[in-house]
Amino acid sequence: MTDDIRLCRTFQTAPAAVPKDDSAKYLVSGLEAEGFQAPDWLVPDLEDGTAPDMKAEGLENTIEKVPEYEFPGEIWPRVEWSYEDASFREKGREQIDRLVADLGDDIEGVVVPKVGRLADVERAAEAVAEAEREHGYADGSIGLSIIVETGRARSDLREIAKFGADSRLTALVFGPVDYAAELGGRDLGDGMPRWEGLLEALSNEASAAGLLAIGGPFDDLFTERAGLTYYNAEEYADQIEYEARIGLDGSWSLYPKQTIQANTVHMPTPEELERDVSKIERFNAAKREGTGAVTLDGQMVDEATFKNFKNTVEQVRAIDATRPEQTADYYDEDLLERALELELSYR
Amino acid sequence: MTDDIRLCRTFQTAPAAVPKDDSAKYLVSGLEAEGFQAPDWLVPDLEDGTAPDMKAEGLENTIEKVPEYEFPGEIWPRVEWSYEDASFREKGREQIDRLVADLGDDIEGVVVPKVGRLADVERAAEAVAEAEREHGYADGSIGLSIIVETGRARSDLREIAKFGADSRLTALVFGPVDYAAELGGRDLGDGMPRWEGLLEALSNEASAAGLLAIGGPFDDLFTERAGLTYYNAEEYADQIEYEARIGLDGSWSLYPKQTIQANTVHMPTPEELERDVSKIERFNAAKREGTGAVTLDGQMVDEATFKNFKNTVEQVRAIDATRPEQTADYYDEDLLERALELELSYR
Amino acid sequence: MTDDIRLCRTFQTAPAAVPKDDSAKYLVSGLEAEGFQAPDWLVPDLEDGTAPDMKAEGLENTIEKVPEYEFPGEIWPRVEWSYEDASFREKGREQIDRLVADLGDDIEGVVVPKVGRLADVERAAEAVAEAEREHGYADGSIGLSIIVETGRARSDLREIAKFGADSRLTALVFGPVDYAAELGGRDLGDGMPRWEGLLEALSNEASAAGLLAIGGPFDDLFTERAGLTYYNAEEYADQIEYEARIGLDGSWSLYPKQTIQANTVHMPTPEELERDVSKIERFNAAKREGTGAVTLDGQMVDEATFKNFKNTVEQVRAIDATRPEQTADYYDEDLLERALELELSYR
């Protein structure tokens, strides 16, 4: 985590066009979502989520619908791309150009999938830079996030993240389906591997370069037991709690109920907030009273420790700024007020 | 996996000479193996599997016996080497020279153990290149596979694999015994660590560079329970199923029964084959009928998805080409015929 | 492990000053520890273990107390540092200068925490080099060990270790608390992650560069059950046994009882010593009798295998040289004598 809190508890993809009467149905439903169903990032998906013969319509849907809503989070369309197929990169370039031209003020950036080694990520970054120049946007105003889903991107992850520290790169997102297919991973009856080495590296490299790290999609949306089919809340929670434990900043959501869960898991619990607000309050009081080191609950508060308390509070403030209905719902009114009014300076 | 299917479900080492009346007993038995006991790669072992005072005899056995059999798989003798001991490298160079001179048409390459950092792997590759030149073989006609079993080789794994993408390097094979000794790993009663981080990296780097990744040997061949000693099928299966799940292409075998198991685990199951053959058949039918995107079982078939189905079929074809008795035994006759006759083009 | 056995089974930190009548209480108690409570490395802690307003006193305590004792292990004070805060680096430089000036003959080196990428580690190494020059010590006579506890240090671990192979760098020590905070790792009720990928890499890179690898602190010193609060021996043992299995050379201790456990886990068990002493004895006997390969228990003894047996014996000799009361207590007298008198040459 960096000092500037950038929220992406939820990376929710929505097909930009589906073969229904209202082809923008899912896109609109993401834009209109309220309460805990509202994601931090909404990703209109022009890649695998939209059929090849509907991609043009998906692009028009995105350009038409996004400006109609005052979406409080960030909008990050996913375009087509492939490190191994120039025709997909050409489509991606056209989509990026069109999105920046017609939607440059409404999107924070674009999501580029199936990138390969560092050189391919630089190529994607250059495609965004070209669109910026072409349509008069300042350098760096349109962000880039990538899906890490090839052996090459995993192999170059450290170099890609280091490049990202000084670039428009914003988030590293895991893509397990393509990744498993590339490596030849197999489900022998107990599911696919979790790729724990990759996830730990994703968390580390993102952290070292000041980027966001986001987990991959979970598509067993429903499960069946004793004759009943129901939403698979448990397994998704297992996955995203694992992601939170190892320090990923957010999780991928395919579905409003997943968004509720990911938003919740990736925000401080009321207990965490109470604990850290109270520590800062006591720290501030001790600071006013005297000089020298402040000790809380038997532990000295140094700058690093203080930063952790502060992080909790700043994340809640960031959520409150974009999604006040979520913080109002989740935290006690008094606690929230204390968190919003606290003095946050160590010195 | 690359588009050119290169099979190595089984990397079976056989001592090139043993202190028995027939010193080539195990080598010959590998060359003669039939059915599921026949490995994809047979590795006449001149290194740890053969006693120091029998190495010369092992080399003669290899040179004499290999050409006597029409072994349908690949022959990859393992020579001596050591990143930290020039005398072993000198022996390795002599063995490579002799093997290329007298057996260059019969072997696909040599296996070099105990390599260190990238520079040492390049040195091994140069030793093979010298033998090629010396004996009139085309550049790159003799392959190189390495055992990853030192801290240095693990540390340089990414660089070694990248070098391998444009070289004679063919397979990265794990060597857990020397590796554990180098790192000082200890068995405190519940066995040695599995080195999951290394194996995940091996699968990834091999995939990113188009190389094969092969697991390490399992030498608790027999187990004992309730007074009976019997073949330890269960624990070996656990290991190789783990290897298959994370995308290793094959497993190391020390014993015919292990070869049966590894051959089986690393080939598509009849259910996988039926599923993917049927998907391609329906894809082909839909393609003939109309234009636009093809949807199967509610999922769109893009080129990446198609490649996965195709991979399954191509692997079965490759097995069928070298080991028709295995495919005949494992798959229903009708299913196999469908797999062999299928049109495999996406466009 | 390298050929020169360097012991650090226990990396025991002790606050250099605490707010008690005798502010050097814990430091002195580390210096005076006997038997299995005596650590291999004693680390007078001027960083997080000592309050900001007591750091000056901690430095004086260290300079005054260390020379008063004939501590048989190594003394490695931990100074302040931070890759992201120049003021901490300045304090660190002053502490290093003072320690080398007044205690240069009594310490083996200094421990530098919160290092970032390779360039920051080189900066820390240069700070030690400056102090050496300033106070007339030979280049390299004062060592450097680092705490790996930032995303940047983990990201550069391989490069840092490679640099360390030719430098004063001695040990890579894991720091899980700061590391988890940097990555944003969270305890959702079942504890913090173990960071297995990092630990495996730490063991590998240290081994590849001939450095020591040491695990992180465990601070749940006490646990409570059925109304009784008692020392948490079990969980600490779980952690350090895991560390020993994957080849870490030693563990961090915060407490005399932890030192007993870490010293014990990281020394060969009597069974291991008996096994390897006996193998070398039989190897030596066979060598005297004849020529050619020596086979023990059905396995050939090559130089690599021999090195493993030898390692066990050399480690016991190293412990015996500094902590004879530990070896006397742990091993049968006769076995120990055999270990000390054995001829250890392969050729």
Side-chain angles (χ1 to χ4, degrees):
Chain A
M1 296 193 184
T2 59
D3 285 314
D4 307 308
I5 294 289
R6 181 148 201 176
L7 281 184
C8 182
R9 294 170 297 162
T10 36
F11 178 95
Q12 183 182 317
T13 49
V18 286
K20 291 188 189 279
D21 287 348
D22 174 9
S23 78
K25 183 179 190 313
Y26 294 127
L27 173 59
V28 166
S29 128
L31 288 163
E32 286 177 341
E34 289 184 353
F36 269 95
Q37 293 198 355
D40 287 340
W41 286 26
L42 181 65
V43 180
D45 189 6
L46 298 165
E47 202 219 6
D48 289 352
T50 291
D53 59 346
M54 300 201 74
K55 290 196 193 288
E57 189 170 344
L59 187 55
E60 298 314 317
N61 283 346
T62 304
I63 288 168
E64 180 190 332
K65 297 298 179 189
V66 167
E68 286 179 14
Y69 296 83
E70 295 275 343
F71 187 75
E74 306 191 7
I75 303 283
W76 285 82
R78 177 163 77 161
V79 301
E80 294 179 270
W81 195 267
S82 167
Y83 75 91
E84 55 180 347
D85 187 332
S87 72
F88 283 99
R89 290 197 298 275
E90 199 38 47
K91 287 184 211 169
R93 274 195 198 90
E94 286 163 20
Q95 290 159 350
I96 291 170
D97 182 76
R98 190 67 207 289
L99 287 164
V100 174
D102 292 353
L103 213 54
D105 295 331
D106 299 278
I107 61 174
E108 269 71 20
V110 294
V111 177
V112 174
K114 295 193 181 67
V115 291
R117 293 203 179 270
L118 173 59
D120 188 53
V121 174
E122 291 173 332
R123 189 156 60 177
E126 182 52 29
V128 178
E130 269 170 40
E132 269 175 353
R133 283 193 298 268
E134 180 71 21
H135 303 291
Y137 284 91
D139 180 43
S141 53
I142 308 289
L144 169 68
S145 290
I146 58 169
I147 315 283
V148 176
E149 57 187 335
T150 67
R152 283 166 173 83
R154 166 67 186 99
S155 178
D156 276 15
L157 188 58
R158 172 172 175 267
E159 285 65 29
I160 291 169
K162 285 176 81 171
F163 158 75
D166 302 313
S167 81
R168 65 185 72 244
L169 198 58
T170 307
L172 306 174
V173 187
F174 181 41
V177 179
D178 280 274
Y179 185 69
E182 271 229 345
L183 265 63
R186 285 168 71 198
D187 180 351
L188 297 174
D190 46 1
M192 276 292 182
R194 195 180 245 177
W195 309 109
E196 300 195 356
L198 182 151
L199 289 172
E200 197 181 315
L202 197 79
S203 181
N204 188 85
E205 296 305 334
S207 165
L211 306 174
L212 292 166
I214 313 294
F218 176 81
D219 58 11
D220 287 342
L221 289 179
F222 298 93
T223 191
E224 187 274 336
R225 194 165 174 194
L228 185 69
T229 295
Y230 51 96
Y231 173 66
N232 194 353
E234 194 110 2
E235 268 194 88
Y236 183 65
D238 284 348
Q239 174 179 316
I240 65 178
E241 285 180 2
Y242 176 79
E243 291 166 359
R245 290 182 73 226
I246 62 163
L248 299 197
D249 301 281
S251 295
W252 192 314
S253 165
L254 294 167
Y255 189 68
K257 284 184 179 161
Q258 289 191 340
T259 301
I260 296 175
Q261 293 187 291
N263 275 337
T264 307
V265 161
H266 292 288
M267 73 195 279
T269 62
E271 294 68 34
E272 286 173 320
L273 184 60
E274 169 61 44
R275 183 196 63 201
D276 290 357
V277 162
S278 140
K279 287 196 168 174
I280 296 181
E281 287 170 344
R282 289 182 288 150
F283 176 85
N284 288 347
K287 224 174 40 173
R288 274 192 300 274
E289 276 167 30
T291 58
V294 175
T295 305
L296 293 179
D297 307 331
Q299 287 209 306
M300 240 151 335
V301 180
D302 61 14
E303 197 151 3
T305 322
F306 184 83
K307 207 159 82 178
N308 290 333
F309 308 153
K310 199 175 124 184
N311 240 324
T312 304
V313 174
E314 284 185 330
Q315 216 199 341
V316 169
R317 289 182 181 183
I319 299 169
D320 191 74
T322 48
R323 301 291 186 191
E325 71 281 17
Q326 292 182 13
T327 44
D329 188 32
Y330 197 55
Y331 303 114
D332 176 83
E333 193 181 331
D334 177 57
L335 172 60
L336 182 59
E337 211 177 286
R338 286 157 62 205
L340 298 179
E341 290 175 2
L342 215 42
E343 161 71 37
L344 286 186
S345 151
Y346 178 72
R347 294 180 198 276
Chain B
M1 293 192 186
T2 60
D3 286 313
D4 307 309
I5 294 290
R6 180 146 201 177
L7 282 184
C8 183
R9 294 170 296 161
T10 36
F11 178 95
Q12 183 182 317
T13 49
V18 286
K20 291 187 188 280
D21 287 348
D22 173 11
S23 78
K25 183 180 189 314
Y26 293 127
L27 174 59
V28 166
S29 130
L31 289 164
E32 286 176 340
E34 290 184 354
F36 269 95
Q37 293 198 356
D40 287 340
W41 285 26
L42 182 65
V43 180
D45 189 7
L46 296 166
E47 202 219 5
D48 290 352
T50 292
D53 58 347
M54 301 200 72
K55 290 196 194 286
E57 189 170 343
L59 187 55
E60 299 314 317
N61 283 346
T62 304
I63 289 168
E64 179 190 332
K65 296 299 179 187
V66 167
E68 285 179 14
Y69 295 84
E70 294 275 343
F71 186 75
E74 305 192 7
I75 302 284
W76 284 83
R78 178 162 76 160
V79 301
E80 294 180 271
W81 194 266
S82 167
Y83 75 91
E84 53 180 347
D85 187 331
S87 73
F88 284 98
R89 291 196 298 276
E90 199 38 48
K91 287 185 212 170
R93 274 194 198 91
E94 285 163 19
Q95 289 159 351
I96 291 170
D97 182 77
R98 189 71 203 290
L99 287 164
V100 174
D102 292 352
L103 214 54
D105 295 331
D106 298 278
I107 62 174
E108 269 71 20
V110 294
V111 176
V112 173
K114 295 193 182 68
V115 291
R117 294 203 178 269
L118 173 59
D120 188 53
V121 175
E122 291 173 331
R123 190 155 60 177
E126 182 51 30
V128 178
E130 268 170 39
E132 270 175 352
R133 283 192 299 267
E134 179 72 21
H135 303 291
Y137 284 91
D139 180 43
S141 53
I142 307 289
L144 168 67
S145 291
I146 58 170
I147 315 283
V148 175
E149 57 188 335
T150 68
R152 283 166 174 83
R154 166 68 185 97
S155 178
D156 276 14
L157 187 57
R158 172 173 175 265
E159 285 65 29
I160 291 169
K162 285 177 81 172
F163 157 75
D166 302 312
S167 81
R168 65 185 73 245
L169 198 58
T170 307
L172 307 174
V173 186
F174 181 40
V177 179
D178 280 274
Y179 185 69
E182 271 230 344
L183 265 62
R186 285 168 71 198
D187 181 351
L188 297 174
D190 46 359
M192 276 293 183
R194 194 180 244 178
W195 310 109
E196 300 196 354
L198 182 151
L199 289 173
E200 198 182 314
L202 197 79
S203 181
N204 187 85
E205 296 306 333
S207 165
L211 307 174
L212 293 166
I214 313 294
F218 176 81
D219 58 12
D220 287 342
L221 289 179
F222 297 93
T223 190
E224 187 274 338
R225 194 163 174 196
L228 184 70
T229 295
Y230 52 95
Y231 173 66
N232 194 354
E234 193 109 2
E235 267 194 89
Y236 183 65
D238 284 347
Q239 174 178 316
I240 65 177
E241 284 179 3
Y242 176 79
E243 290 167 358
R245 289 183 73 227
I246 62 162
L248 299 197
D249 301 281
S251 295
W252 191 314
S253 164
L254 293 167
Y255 190 67
K257 284 185 179 160
Q258 289 191 339
T259 301
I260 296 176
Q261 292 188 291
N263 275 336
T264 307
V265 162
H266 292 288
M267 74 196 279
T269 63
E271 293 69 33
E272 286 172 320
L273 184 60
E274 169 61 43
R275 184 196 62 201
D276 290 356
V277 162
S278 140
K279 286 195 169 175
I280 297 181
E281 287 170 345
R282 287 183 289 150
F283 176 86
N284 288 347
K287 225 173 43 173
R288 274 191 300 274
E289 277 168 28
T291 58
V294 175
T295 304
L296 293 178
D297 308 330
Q299 287 208 304
M300 239 152 335
V301 181
D302 61 14
E303 197 150 3
T305 322
F306 185 83
K307 207 159 83 178
N308 290 332
F309 308 153
K310 198 176 126 186
N311 239 326
T312 304
V313 175
E314 282 185 333
Q315 217 200 339
V316 169
R317 289 181 181 182
I319 299 169
D320 190 74
T322 48
R323 300 293 185 191
E325 71 282 17
Q326 292 183 11
T327 45
D329 187 34
Y330 198 54
Y331 302 115
D332 175 85
E333 193 180 331
D334 176 58
L335 171 60
L336 181 60
E337 211 177 286
R338 285 157 63 205
L340 298 179
E341 289 174 2
L342 215 43
E343 160 70 37
L344 285 187
S345 152
Y346 178 72
R347 294 180 197 275
Chain C
M1 294 192 186
T2 58
D3 285 314
D4 307 308
I5 294 289
R6 181 147 200 178
L7 281 185
C8 183
R9 294 171 296 163
T10 37
F11 177 94
Q12 182 182 318
T13 48
V18 286
K20 292 187 189 279
D21 287 349
D22 173 10
S23 78
K25 183 180 189 313
Y26 294 127
L27 174 59
V28 165
S29 131
L31 289 164
E32 286 176 340
E34 290 184 354
F36 269 95
Q37 294 198 355
D40 286 340
W41 286 26
L42 181 65
V43 180
D45 188 7
L46 297 166
E47 202 220 6
D48 290 352
T50 292
D53 59 346
M54 301 200 73
K55 290 197 194 286
E57 189 170 342
L59 187 55
E60 299 314 318
N61 283 346
T62 304
I63 289 167
E64 180 189 332
K65 298 298 179 189
V66 166
E68 285 179 13
Y69 296 83
E70 295 274 344
F71 186 76
E74 305 192 7
I75 302 283
W76 284 82
R78 177 162 77 160
V79 301
E80 294 180 90
W81 194 267
S82 166
Y83 75 91
E84 55 180 346
D85 188 331
S87 72
F88 283 98
R89 291 196 298 276
E90 199 37 48
K91 287 185 211 169
R93 274 193 198 91
E94 285 163 19
Q95 290 159 350
I96 291 170
D97 182 77
R98 190 67 205 289
L99 287 164
V100 174
D102 292 353
L103 213 55
D105 295 332
D106 299 278
I107 61 175
E108 269 72 19
V110 294
V111 177
V112 174
K114 296 192 181 67
V115 290
R117 294 202 179 269
L118 172 59
D120 188 53
V121 175
E122 290 174 331
R123 190 156 59 179
E126 181 51 30
V128 178
E130 269 170 39
E132 270 175 352
R133 283 192 298 267
E134 180 71 21
H135 303 292
Y137 285 91
D139 180 43
S141 53
I142 308 288
L144 169 67
S145 291
I146 58 169
I147 315 284
V148 176
E149 55 187 336
T150 68
R152 283 167 173 82
R154 166 68 186 97
S155 178
D156 277 15
L157 188 58
R158 172 172 175 266
E159 285 65 30
I160 291 169
K162 284 176 82 172
F163 159 74
D166 302 313
S167 80
R168 66 185 72 244
L169 198 57
T170 308
L172 306 174
V173 186
F174 181 41
V177 179
D178 280 274
Y179 185 69
E182 271 229 345
L183 265 62
R186 285 168 70 198
D187 180 350
L188 297 174
D190 46 0
M192 276 293 182
R194 194 180 245 177
W195 309 110
E196 300 195 355
L198 182 151
L199 289 172
E200 198 181 314
L202 197 79
S203 181
N204 188 85
E205 296 305 333
S207 164
L211 306 175
L212 292 166
I214 312 294
F218 176 81
D219 57 12
D220 288 341
L221 289 179
F222 298 93
T223 190
E224 187 273 337
R225 194 164 174 195
L228 185 69
T229 295
Y230 52 95
Y231 173 66
N232 194 354
E234 194 109 1
E235 268 195 87
Y236 184 65
D238 283 347
Q239 174 179 317
I240 64 177
E241 284 180 3
Y242 176 78
E243 291 167 358
R245 291 182 72 226
I246 62 163
L248 299 198
D249 301 281
S251 295
W252 191 313
S253 164
L254 293 167
Y255 190 68
K257 284 184 178 161
Q258 289 192 338
T259 301
I260 296 175
Q261 292 187 290
N263 275 337
T264 307
V265 161
H266 293 287
M267 73 195 280
T269 62
E271 294 70 33
E272 286 173 320
L273 184 60
E274 169 61 43
R275 183 196 62 200
D276 290 356
V277 162
S278 139
K279 287 196 168 173
I280 297 181
E281 288 170 344
R282 288 183 288 150
F283 176 86
N284 289 346
K287 225 174 40 173
R288 274 191 300 274
E289 278 168 27
T291 59
V294 175
T295 303
L296 292 179
D297 307 329
Q299 287 209 304
M300 240 150 337
V301 180
D302 61 15
E303 196 150 3
T305 321
F306 185 82
K307 207 160 82 180
N308 289 332
F309 309 153
K310 198 175 124 186
N311 240 323
T312 303
V313 174
E314 283 184 333
Q315 216 200 340
V316 169
R317 289 182 181 182
I319 299 169
D320 191 74
T322 49
R323 301 292 185 191
E325 72 281 19
Q326 293 182 12
T327 45
D329 187 32
Y330 197 56
Y331 303 114
D332 176 85
E333 194 181 330
D334 176 58
L335 171 60
L336 182 59
E337 211 177 286
R338 285 157 62 206
L340 298 179
E341 290 175 1
L342 214 44
E343 161 70 37
L344 286 186
S345 152
Y346 178 72
R347 294 179 198 275

